[in-house]
Amino acid sequence: MADIALLLFWLWGTLSLAIHHGLAAALQSGGITFIETMGAYLLARCYIRTADDFRSVVKFLFWIVIFLLPFGILEATTGRKPLIEFFQLVVDTVPINTDPPRMGLTRVQGPFEHPILFGVCCGSIFAMAYLVLGYQKTFFQRGIRALPVLFAAFLALSSGPLSAVAIQGMLLSWDRLLKGIQARWKILWASFGTIYVFLSLASNRSVYALAVGHAPLFDQQTAYYRLLIWKYGSASVLKHPLFGIGYNEYERESWMVSSIDMFWIIHSVMFGLPAGLMLFLAFGSLIYAVSLKKGLDQRTTEYRTAYLICMAGFFIAGWAVHFWNATYVWFVFLLGSGSWILEARSEGSVTTSARKQSRRSPGGESVYTRKKVVSIKRDL
């Protein structure tokens, strides 16, 4: 279902662009969107097929973060942009971000368009560094792998990425503390549902408004601005529900900028509600199927937990951040990286199958049958 839904998301978006901007724009923008969406997703979907493959990918992404970390420290303390400045010597690069410092530090942009994207990408693998790279390791060894990821995400000095990492940390703590309770995730979902119902009844504000209003760590004005994006963005979806507004600007206050810093609504605004729903369906159906997969061995179960917690971080961040360009590709790739779990078999079943196969002779007879025939011939 996720494969089909993601393909339909791209098709509807391309159709919307053709309606609003003509066939040429649809072919150009739709073509690159196909590469960024289906290309990244299918790369992970087709080539990450085992637990070993998954660990290798996580290890590779981890070393990318480690590589970026010293450049991030240099940028945070000096204000220079070493990576962008280096590549500007030979190629065109993304513009240098000029946001004011926070806590006396420069917000680290790294090689991305904005510091918030640096934080999202680095922080997204926090749970996977802890559970996948730290599988069967001590708490200290797990922490050695996870802390650099946390520190890299912190250098963005942005509430969105840190909220995503915080969610991952809380889910990891829940999993570790209640490891012996099989129904711990059902208890968690029931608790979330109870809290949601209580807040909906007890407050005159929506649950989303309450969450966004209390999330910012650095700038309270960003929370108010996110609420305005939700207000005017959702109004635009209701006004143009079928094909959206394309790349045209949405109706908003005159002093607001044209960007929509909210991944889970921007596609509905641009391409219409069907595109937004297809993206939700692709994300939700894969997460739902993976979470219900039965008969997994301990290692695969641990890897699945890491994958699901990683996706939970993306889900939270997506309500305050728009994933675009490299960050969008990073997200879609990681979404597809967990699909192998749907076809995974437990180590016990594989061992049993191999044992049965090893007991067969080249002619198809079992070892027991061959021994019995030899014994009868000898007796005769």
Side-chain angles (χ1 to χ4, degrees), residues 1-3 5-6 41 263-264 276-290 307-316 319 323 331-332 334-336:
M1 184 179 294
D3 302 348
L6 207 58
Y41 175 77
F263 179 76
W264 296 116
L277 292 177
M278 285 300 105
L279 185 60
F280 260 113
L281 181 60
F283 180 85
S285 62
L286 185 54
I287 299 307
Y288 181 75
V290 169
Y307 168 75
L308 293 175
I309 292 177
C310 169
M311 290 297 109
F314 271 116
F315 182 78
I316 295 299
W319 292 106
F323 312 143
F331 161 69
V332 178
L334 284 177
L335 176 64

Side-chain angles (χ1 to χ4, degrees), residues 46-362:
C46 297
Y47 288 97
I48 302 175
R49 305 310 309 149
T50 65
D52 289 336
D53 295 340
F54 186 70
R55 188 185 188 281
S56 297
V57 168
V58 173
K59 185 177 181 180
F60 178 68
L61 298 180
F62 172 77
W63 281 112
I64 289 178
V65 175
I66 296 301
F67 172 79
L68 293 175
L69 187 56
F71 295 102
I73 296 173
L74 181 64
E75 183 177 343
T77 54
T78 67
R80 300 292 300 272
K81 309 284 184 178
L83 290 175
I84 296 179
E85 290 175 3
F86 172 76
F87 284 107
Q88 278 181 340
L89 298 175
V90 290
V91 296
D92 292 332
T93 65
V94 298
I96 289 180
N97 184 267
T98 57
D99 286 348
R102 290 177 175 176
M103 301 174 60
L105 298 172
T106 301
R107 300 180 64 190
V108 174
Q109 179 180 359
F112 298 92
E113 292 81 359
H114 194 276
I116 200 170
L117 301 181
F118 177 86
V120 166
C121 287
C122 291
S124 64
I125 65 167
F126 177 72
M128 294 197 291
Y130 186 85
L131 290 179
V132 177
L133 300 183
Y135 178 67
Q136 291 187 331
K137 306 292 184 182
T138 65
F139 176 78
F140 176 77
Q141 291 172 321
R142 290 174 185 259
I144 288 296
R145 290 161 174 79
L147 284 178
V149 175
L150 173 62
F151 185 62
F154 170 78
L155 292 177
L157 299 175
S158 178
S159 299
L162 290 180
S163 297
V165 174
I167 287 294
Q168 293 183 68
M170 287 187 285
L171 292 176
L172 284 172
S173 300
W174 180 272
D175 182 53
R176 299 294 99 178
L177 292 174
L178 302 181
K179 193 68 176 179
I181 302 178
Q182 188 173 2
R184 60 189 179 279
W185 297 114
K186 294 180 180 179
I187 296 173
L188 182 64
W189 279 110
S191 301
F192 279 152
T194 303
I195 294 172
Y196 185 90
V197 172
F198 172 78
L199 292 177
S200 299
L201 297 176
S203 175
N204 57 358
R205 304 172 65 191
S206 67
V207 177
Y208 174 76
L210 290 171
V212 172
H214 291 82
L217 301 175
F218 302 102
D219 188 356
Q220 192 66 32
Q221 292 182 349
T222 60
Y224 176 69
Y225 195 83
R226 294 300 190 281
L227 294 177
L228 289 177
I229 290 177
W230 172 258
K231 174 184 176 180
Y232 291 105
S234 57
S236 179
V237 174
L238 294 176
K239 189 174 181 179
H240 309 279
L242 198 56
F243 295 108
I245 60 174
Y247 291 147
N248 299 308
E249 295 189 9
Y250 73 116
E251 297 179 9
R252 63 193 187 278
E253 297 288 348
S254 59
W255 52 269
M256 293 176 63
V257 298
S258 59
S259 63
I260 300 177
D261 299 330
M262 198 172 293
F263 179 76
W264 296 116
I265 193 176
I266 190 172
H267 298 98
S268 297
V269 173
M270 293 193 301
F271 306 137
L273 194 56
L277 292 177
M278 285 300 105
L279 185 60
F280 260 113
L281 181 60
F283 180 85
S285 62
L286 185 54
I287 299 307
Y288 181 75
V290 169
S291 65
L292 294 183
K293 174 67 176 178
K294 305 293 185 182
L296 300 178
D297 57 65
Q298 181 182 0
R299 182 190 184 194
T300 305
T301 300
E302 198 89 335
Y303 286 9
R304 174 178 65 179
T305 301
Y307 168 75
L308 293 175
I309 292 177
C310 169
M311 290 297 109
F314 271 116
F315 182 78
I316 295 299
W319 292 106
V321 181
H322 173 39
F323 312 143
W324 76 94
N325 291 347
T327 307
Y328 175 75
V329 173
W330 182 287
F331 161 69
V332 178
F333 176 81
L334 284 177
L335 176 64
S337 71
S339 61
W340 65 275
I341 299 173
L342 299 177
E343 300 172 18
R345 294 186 298 170
S346 66
E347 291 178 354
S349 63
V350 174
T351 303
T352 302
S353 176
R355 187 183 298 116
K356 289 181 179 179
Q357 187 67 26
S358 67
R359 290 176 62 87
R360 297 283 178 179
S361 68

Side-chain angles (χ1 to χ4, degrees), residues 18-32:
I19 292 173
H20 289 291
H21 306 290
L23 184 59
L27 291 176
Q28 183 179 17
S29 297
I32 191 62

